[in-house]
Amino acid sequence: MTSESAGHDVRRELRNRVLVLTVDNPPVNALGVVVRRALSDAVEAAEQDSAVDAVLLIGAGRNFIGGADIKEFGKPPLPPSLPVVCNRIEACRKPVVAAIHGAALGGGLEIALAAHYRIALADARLGLPEVTLGLLPGAGGTQRAPRLIGAKAALDLMLSGRHVGAREAFALGLVDRVGETDDVLTEGLDYLKALLDAKAPVRRTRDADGLADPVASRAAIEAARAETSKKSRGLFSPLKIVDAVQAALELPFDDGLRHERQLFLQCLDSPQRAGLIHAFFAEREVLKAPETRHAKPRAISSVGVIGGGTMGAGIAVALLDAGLPVTMIERDDASLARGRANIEKVYDGLIAKGRMTADAKAAVLARWSGSTSYDSLVSTDLVIEAVFEEMVIKQAVFAELDRVCKPGAVLATNTSYLDIDAIAASVSRPGDVVGLHFFSPANIMKLLEVVVPARVSADVVATAFDLAKKLRKVPVRAGVCDGFIGNRVLAVYRAAADYMMEDGASPYQIDRVVREFGFPMGPFQVSDLAGGDIGWATRKRRAASRDPKQRYVQIADRICERGWFGQKTGRGYYLYPDGARTGKPDPEVEAIIDAERERASVTPRTFSDEEIMRRYMAAMINEGANVVHQRIALRPLDVDVTFLYGYGFPRHRGGPMQYADTVGLAKVLADIREFAQEDPVFWQPSPLIVGLVERGATLASLNHTA
Ligand code: 3H9
């Protein structure tokens, strides 16, 4: 056995006349330029070397290959390109086998498809997830996958971006064998030996016959095109994927590859690609809050939840689903029974949909216990309070927690906007108090704002991030202020929507335009879904402290005064006859709006769709920038992730801060200054934006400064 290192992230080792090429480029063996060059050189060398009979491709560490190096996209291309490397592998005249463990995704799977035979271990995850990054498989994947597994299955993989395990990959024909152990090298070598013993020929995917039935293939392509046109909501790359597969069917292989390349480059140039890749990195970057770098999380093996209302029950479900035992505290037996019923409702819904068995529900609920006494929390590691949003009530709860909880227990509040510094100051152990702001429904929504009061210990913050991971939530670190990151920014763009409504736009136009931008719902639909009474109560509470110079639109109050709180009351901004989930415009609401315009002496004017979106986004971006400026959010990307995961911001636009850079900050500032001419109190340009525009810098330039 001889060994030689290429020193270029691909190790070469000769074993019994098999050249083992180990891609070793932590953390996921991405195919950066150095790896591409090294792979290409190694295959070339194997071909020339008479001591080599065959080549085995494996990955070092936990994965085969995670894909192209996403960090290279948007930068000048460096040769050799990945399609060229794949072609080089496929053209090799000696058998090449890919042995896959862990992830073989995107370009990683395309490398495997270019090999002549494939074996996957049980832990393998194979997929072509480029669509989730605004791309298409651009290293031959759109041409080789359909030839190997047929147009229908290949389109499904490429359009969904889903990962398949080894068994499914084998059933699809994506791999030829499933390994029995977890030793990828031995499995790969054994398979190669068997192939060589059987004198198995070099077999190239470009010659595979998965598209041999043109009628079935064409039908699959047309069905995918129809479905994609309906479902892809303005996304650019999905239809390009269908076009590329059509090219696979209609063109000779090399022409198809050229066509794929053109389509890939179009996707690469699209702002959607930039937005989606920004989202990919941002959602990983938020995990690296400063406290997580130097503090060790406390161990959490039991949790208390105070309150069994919608929020408390949702939080309890999230915890139970993560395998944690939960003790719920309520003030009396009836409330406790309601809390338990709220939890059961979630699981019964799953059972009704066939997504859970009664036994599984019983197993989950065995981890739940209820009590009307705080004393049941003496040994609990973490308590999350989800009681009524009122400072005195919260402080009373914290006084009890302070009394009963063991030293070192983490005391968390789920408040949406109350001053957590004040809550922390009311207990004898402020270092243990943190905000865990869940979003409703708490068992479903991915966002978790980790609100960091001034006196909290770093290990408590680290514990919150650790908990988020257990709950499969996306945590974003936020500072203390009214509304933290998300609700604070929401209040501002929501006000901008109200101003436009009073000035002449209908709520139905605003909602439509916001949906067309890519949000699942417009602001008035959201209000109807959440319940208008919630915002109304907040407005009443704040009435006394409201800045009298700030414009205040009363339309929502008029609607709430009639008891129209949205879906749950059958009408709000919209009508929901017979419990309908989708609302219909309501002429009576339009009459209320007209009357309010008159009362406020507003002469209504028309708004173009474009102006509505410009104002809506300018308000969102400006307050997002303020939140960064005041260090409530660590970086612009933290605002982006908050909006992607908590507020339905369209992912392909990357988040409001990324969108601002796409539009151009100077343009956003010019908009704000233009709007300020009519309302200088509301439209005050954020100092952060002003400063960045003066320096000619972007918000993205602040993303590396946490
Ligand atoms: C493509 O292949 C295009 C081709 O068709 C055509 C080209 C011509 N590049 O997720 P993790 C980083 S498009 C660069 O926490 P896990 C990631 O940012 C690509 N970096 O680990 C993180 O960095 P940090 C198609 C990457 O174990 C670290 O690795 N492929 C890449 O939970 C760990 O990541 C995909 O879309 C990359 N490709 O999951 C797959 N991937 O530590 C994308 C990851 O500094 N990747 N990083 O924060 C994944 O889905 C997951 O990372 C994976 C591992 C499942 C592989």
Side-chain angles (χ1 to χ4, degrees):
M1 185 183 89
T2 63
S3 174
E4 181 200 338
S5 170
H8 287 307
D9 306 310
V10 176
R11 291 199 308 271
R12 299 183 200 176
E13 190 182 0
L14 193 60
R15 287 201 174 217
N16 292 332
R17 302 188 59 79
V18 171
L19 185 66
V20 179
L21 300 182
T22 307
V23 179
D24 188 1
N25 184 24
V28 299
N29 300 333
L31 296 158
V33 61
V34 177
V35 174
R36 296 199 299 275
R37 243 175 239 155
L39 263 179
S40 189
D41 290 351
V43 172
E44 190 71 42
E47 190 129 69
Q48 307 299 330
D49 189 343
S50 58
V52 172
D53 289 342
V55 176
L56 176 65
L57 285 175
I58 58 174
R62 290 193 295 128
N63 300 298
F64 178 64
I65 296 171
D69 185 344
I70 303 173
K71 293 198 176 90
E72 284 184 359
F73 294 149
K75 298 185 185 153
L78 295 166
S81 71
L82 196 53
V84 166
V85 177
C86 287
N87 289 346
R88 182 68 200 85
I89 293 170
E90 188 170 60
C92 187
R93 278 173 280 115
K94 298 175 180 173
V96 181
V97 167
I100 299 167
H101 76 300
L105 299 174
L109 182 55
E110 289 174 297
I111 290 272
L113 293 177
H116 306 138
Y117 296 89
R118 287 154 292 280
I119 172 172
L121 304 200
D123 74 339
R125 282 190 285 164
L126 298 86
L128 294 167
E130 285 87 344
V131 70
T132 62
L133 302 173
L135 291 168
L136 51 79
T142 66
Q143 307 301 298
R144 288 192 180 92
R147 282 178 165 80
L148 193 62
I149 62 175
K152 189 164 186 281
L155 279 161
D156 167 53
L157 277 190
M158 290 188 271
L159 290 170
S160 70
R162 75 189 175 94
H163 303 174
V164 298
R167 291 265 153 232
E168 187 179 351
F170 179 71
L172 286 170
L174 211 49
V175 299
D176 307 291
R177 174 154 143 164
V178 177
E180 276 158 19
T181 70
D182 59 3
D183 180 348
V184 73
L185 177 61
T186 308
E187 290 283 349
L189 287 172
D190 286 355
Y191 182 38
L192 236 175
K193 181 169 183 320
L195 289 167
L196 290 174
D197 288 351
K199 301 211 166 8
V202 162
R203 185 196 62 170
R204 299 192 169 92
T205 308
R206 58 181 288 151
D207 304 322
D209 62 0
L211 296 172
D213 179 347
V215 177
S217 303
R218 195 155 286 125
I221 291 167
E222 284 325 310
R225 191 186 304 285
E227 172 92 358
T228 305
S229 314
K230 223 172 29 196
K231 283 207 328 212
S232 63
R233 284 173 51 92
L235 288 180
F236 184 75
S237 78
L239 280 171
K240 302 289 166 196
I241 290 174
V242 181
D243 289 347
V245 175
Q246 186 167 351
L249 178 66
E250 291 173 357
L251 302 178
F253 183 78
D254 292 317
D255 292 348
L257 275 186
R258 272 189 284 279
H259 196 69
E260 175 195 83
R261 184 75 186 158
Q262 280 169 11
L263 296 171
F264 178 79
L265 293 177
Q266 287 173 22
C267 294
L268 201 60
D269 277 347
S270 124
Q272 295 190 359
R273 186 273 305 159
L276 287 164
I277 287 185
H278 170 74
F280 177 89
F281 285 120
E283 69 198 11
R284 284 164 174 76
E285 219 41 53
V286 290
L287 307 176
K288 302 171 191 160
E291 292 84 354
T292 62
R293 286 192 210 125
H294 53 81
K296 201 166 150 271
R298 297 181 188 174
I300 302 294
S301 52
S302 59
V303 186
V305 174
I306 317 294
T310 311
M311 223 43 217
I315 293 170
V317 170
L319 294 162
L320 290 168
D321 285 348
L324 286 160
V326 173
T327 305
M328 178 174 276
I329 305 290
E330 261 294 1
R331 76 195 117 170
D332 51 41
D333 288 338
S335 309
L336 200 53
R338 246 194 325 272
R340 163 100 184 186
N342 284 337
I343 293 176
E344 290 207 34
K345 207 158 70 191
V346 173
Y347 293 119
D348 289 340
L350 293 178
I351 291 173
K353 285 187 200 133
R355 285 169 43 201
M356 191 181 213
T357 63
D359 285 352
K361 174 186 160 188
V364 170
L365 285 176
R367 291 196 287 276
W368 182 90
S369 62
S371 172
T372 54
S373 165
Y374 281 89
D375 293 327
S376 307
L377 299 177
V378 279
S379 57
T380 307
D381 299 318
L382 160 75
V383 182
I384 304 173
E385 156 293 299
V387 300
F388 193 69
E389 261 317 70
E390 189 81 67
M391 186 55 100
V392 284
I393 301 179
K394 302 263 189 205
Q395 284 180 337
V397 168
F398 271 78
E400 284 298 288
L401 298 180
D402 202 11
R403 183 179 64 79
V404 301
C405 290
K406 66 180 183 187
V410 174
L411 310 181
T413 169
N414 176 53
T415 180
S416 335
Y417 59 84
L418 292 178
D419 181 355
I420 304 182
D421 283 320
I423 297 176
S426 73
V427 294
S428 66
R429 34 173 137 177
D432 294 336
V433 176
V434 72
L436 289 179
H437 182 210
F438 289 82
F439 288 70
S440 189
N443 55 311
I444 294 183
M445 292 293 285
K446 285 275 181 201
L447 180 63
L448 179 66
E449 275 180 320
V450 176
V451 191
V452 177
R455 293 165 71 188
V456 67
S457 318
D459 65 342
V460 169
V461 180
T463 309
F465 275 81
D466 198 45
L467 177 76
K469 192 167 162 196
K470 286 200 182 92
L471 303 186
R472 295 163 170 253
K473 303 262 178 229
V474 180
V476 175
R477 186 189 189 281
V480 175
C481 70
D482 192 343
F484 316 130
I485 299 177
N487 283 348
R488 173 170 160 179
V489 175
L490 164 72
V492 175
Y493 67 80
R494 190 46 234 252
D498 283 344
Y499 298 162
M500 288 189 276
M501 173 165 64
E502 194 173 61
D503 287 340
S506 94
Y508 313 121
Q509 182 192 7
I510 296 170
D511 277 352
R512 174 181 54 74
V513 174
V514 169
R515 278 197 310 274
E516 284 169 4
F517 182 83
F519 282 89
M521 276 188 265
F524 300 101
Q525 289 175 293
V526 171
S527 162
D528 273 5
L529 181 68
D533 48 333
I534 295 171
W536 194 30
T538 313
R539 291 195 298 278
K540 281 195 272 197
R541 230 185 349 256
R542 292 183 182 167
S545 57
R546 190 176 299 130
D547 177 359
K549 292 199 290 293
Q550 182 102 33
R551 179 175 174 191
Y552 181 71
V553 174
Q554 299 181 25
I555 296 168
D557 297 342
R558 295 297 91 78
I559 291 174
C560 288
E561 283 156 12
R562 288 164 170 76
W564 300 349
F565 296 148
Q567 286 196 20
K568 63 184 171 191
T569 57
R571 67 194 297 182
Y573 287 96
Y574 293 80
L575 284 167
Y576 302 89
D578 308 320
R581 302 285 294 271
T582 326
K584 286 201 313 209
D586 184 349
E588 282 186 62
V589 166
E590 287 174 316
I592 293 170
I593 296 170
D594 281 340
E596 278 301 305
R597 286 173 184 152
E598 221 171 289
R599 191 196 52 73
S601 310
V602 171
T603 311
R605 68 175 180 90
T606 54
F607 282 79
S608 69
D609 291 357
E610 184 266 344
E611 182 181 356
I612 288 175
M613 215 52 226
R614 219 150 43 88
R615 283 177 178 264
Y616 198 72
M617 285 312 303
M620 195 183 300
I621 292 164
N622 201 44
E623 194 61 8
N626 282 333
V627 154
V628 176
H629 188 60
Q630 293 165 14
R631 301 283 291 165
I632 300 299
L634 287 176
R635 300 147 296 187
L637 67 82
D638 296 85
V639 178
D640 284 340
V641 173
T642 301
F643 277 83
L644 293 176
Y645 283 97
Y647 297 82
F649 195 95
R651 188 176 169 90
H652 65 270
R653 297 188 192 272
M657 304 286 96
Q658 162 79 11
Y659 176 75
D661 280 344
T662 312
V663 172
L665 267 191
K667 184 160 180 330
V668 175
L669 181 59
D671 279 349
I672 294 168
R673 288 189 166 139
E674 179 196 322
F675 306 148
Q677 286 173 12
E678 61 197 47
D679 184 350
V681 177
F682 182 72
W683 293 104
Q684 295 181 29
S686 166
L688 186 75
I689 297 186
V690 173
L692 287 170
V693 170
E694 273 166 11
R695 301 204 315 268
T698 58
L699 282 161
S701 68
L702 305 176
N703 276 339
H704 308 289
T705 57

